[in-house]
Amino acid sequence: MERLPRQKERDTETEHETTGQEGVRSCPECESTTLTRSADGSEISCEDCGLILEEETIDRGPEWRAFNAAERDSKSRVGAPTTQTMHDKGLTTTIDWKNQDAYGRSLSSEKRSQMNRLRKWQERIRTKDAGERNLQFALSETDRMASALGVPRSVREVASVLYRRALEEDLIRGRSIEGVATSTLYAACRMEGIPRSLDEIAAVSRVDRMEIGRTYRYISKELGLEMQPVDPKKYVPRFCSELELPDEVQSKANEIIDTTAEKGMLSGKSPTGYAAAAIYAGALLCNKKKTQREVADVAQVTEVTIRNRYQEQIAAMGIHE
């Protein structure tokens, strides 16, 4: 029988020492089973007596140091991180179109023909089946709409994950790719606390508002998304910024929303219309008057909605015109 290396023998002995009768690992010093691993994963220690059971001195980080983002990018020798916003998660090969070698010299005609053939086949094999082509088109649509809405990268990642789940559970069948992609983006905006109204989503989508709402309700039900009602206060900063109103108006609008919501007036009301009316009322109270038309254009609601909500809010606040 071949003899184990000395280091492996020691590791085996340590493992036997620190494993209890029932296979539960324990401390050889105090026989406690409360063991913790350090944040960087290099040590396992006993919480009761402090004995270090395992210590790994291997530094798995890079051998170089960087003190700013530019220096880190210049020294890094790996590719971009994986992302859910691409159908292949970013793990792909890209053949440049410059027709130049590593030294910047032009390629010969024979090499250019070879590169053209490689690019052609690269594009063909990137999407091997209909499911991947579906995903590629849907994620490009999500990226386009997210860019038009100006939402951060995190929303795009969440929307891509939701679409992948819908595709895996076969929820796309019988529905348009654009409709499902738009509804997952709408759900992602709500989940990330950066809500956009259905009208805003429909303005950048290729499907109408009714289909987006219908598909969103179906997707959220099937995927078990527990959505809370949108807080009108989340719209206030963006609307005030577009109307170029000061912070005092924003604070007053939030105060109006809080006071009237406590009286149960928010139930059944559109959050965008409610926020717009609170901003209109706050601007009047702070002597920063904006017309109902200006506020309605920013919030994408009608002037009638603002007037109705405004009357209800000032009555609840006890303010007389």
Side-chain angles (χ1 to χ4, degrees):
M1 182 177 179
E2 187 178 352
R3 182 175 176 81
L4 292 171
R6 185 170 299 174
Q7 180 63 39
K8 191 170 182 180
E9 283 184 353
R10 284 202 297 268
D11 292 345
T12 307
E13 289 173 5
T14 305
E15 185 178 349
H16 289 320
E17 287 175 4
T18 57
T19 304
Q21 296 180 352
E22 298 180 358
V24 179
R25 193 167 190 180
S26 61
C27 173
E29 189 73 24
C30 64
E31 298 185 355
S32 171
T33 58
T34 312
L35 308 179
T36 57
R37 184 179 290 275
S38 61
D40 58 357
S42 61
E43 291 181 356
I44 296 179
S45 59
C46 174
E47 281 192 356
D48 293 341
C49 67
L51 178 70
I52 297 177
L53 278 69
E54 282 187 11
E55 184 176 6
E56 183 180 356
T57 58
I58 300 174
D59 183 5
R60 301 189 181 277
E63 81 286 358
W64 45 264
R65 293 190 301 170
F67 302 98
N68 54 52
E71 191 175 356
R72 188 179 301 108
D73 292 340
S74 65
K75 290 184 176 181
S76 177
R77 297 190 298 275
V78 298
T82 58
T83 174
Q84 298 290 339
T85 59
M86 298 178 69
H87 76 284
D88 53 10
K89 299 185 180 180
L91 303 175
T92 186
T93 302
T94 303
I95 302 176
D96 201 358
W97 289 88
K98 291 181 180 178
N99 286 327
Q100 294 177 344
D101 62 12
Y103 301 99
R105 296 176 299 205
S106 297
L107 299 178
S108 63
S109 59
E110 183 180 350
K111 282 288 183 183
R112 282 200 297 271
S113 299
Q114 182 182 4
M115 289 298 106
N116 284 332
R117 287 195 299 273
L118 288 174
R119 291 189 196 103
K120 184 188 299 182
W121 280 105
Q122 168 66 12
E123 287 300 316
R124 288 176 180 175
I125 65 176
R126 279 188 69 186
T127 52
K128 60 184 179 182
D129 54 25
E132 283 200 5
R133 286 194 295 272
N134 177 323
L135 192 59
Q136 183 179 25
F137 176 68
L139 296 182
S140 65
E141 275 294 288
T142 300
D143 196 59
R144 178 189 65 80
M145 292 186 290
S147 297
L149 291 170
V151 295
R153 186 81 184 175
S154 61
V155 174
R156 306 181 193 192
E157 291 281 351
V158 173
S160 302
V161 171
L162 291 177
Y163 189 89
R164 288 175 186 272
R165 286 181 58 192
L167 188 62
E168 288 172 4
E169 298 186 21
D170 200 23
L171 304 180
I172 316 294
R173 190 182 302 275
R175 290 169 179 81
S176 67
I177 297 175
E178 295 94 333
V180 178
T182 308
S183 65
T184 53
L185 179 61
Y186 176 66
C189 288
R190 293 187 61 172
M191 292 172 67
E192 290 295 294
I194 309 172
R196 294 292 187 269
S197 66
L198 274 175
D199 291 323
E200 290 177 294
I201 297 287
V204 299
S205 176
R206 293 193 172 99
V207 294
D208 58 23
R209 186 181 187 277
M210 186 177 296
E211 183 180 347
I212 296 170
R214 184 169 57 245
T215 308
Y216 163 73
R217 287 190 293 272
Y218 172 74
I219 293 294
S220 60
K221 178 183 176 182
E222 293 297 322
L223 295 182
L225 306 179
E226 297 180 359
M227 293 292 185
Q228 298 296 325
V230 179
D231 187 354
K233 291 196 294 184
K234 293 187 179 295
Y235 291 103
V236 171
R238 181 160 57 93
F239 291 169
C240 285
S241 176
E242 292 184 25
L243 290 167
E244 298 181 352
L245 291 169
D247 291 342
E248 58 176 330
V249 176
Q250 182 174 325
S251 300
K252 195 67 179 177
N254 287 332
E255 179 187 341
I256 292 171
I257 292 172
D258 287 334
T259 304
T260 54
E262 288 175 1
K263 299 182 179 180
M265 296 180 55
L266 187 54
S267 178
K269 306 293 194 306
S270 165
T272 51
Y274 207 84
I279 292 171
Y280 176 70
L284 289 178
L285 294 172
C286 296
N287 294 320
K288 302 291 182 181
K289 183 177 170 60
K290 291 287 182 179
T291 64
Q292 292 178 1
R293 180 73 267 166
E294 290 175 311
V295 180
D297 288 341
V298 167
Q300 294 187 356
V301 296
T302 64
E303 296 175 57
V304 176
T305 300
I306 293 180
R307 278 197 294 273
N308 292 338
R309 299 293 87 80
Y310 166 71
Q311 294 293 339
E312 295 171 359
Q313 289 172 356
I314 61 171
M317 294 282 291
I319 301 172
H320 300 285
E321 293 185 282

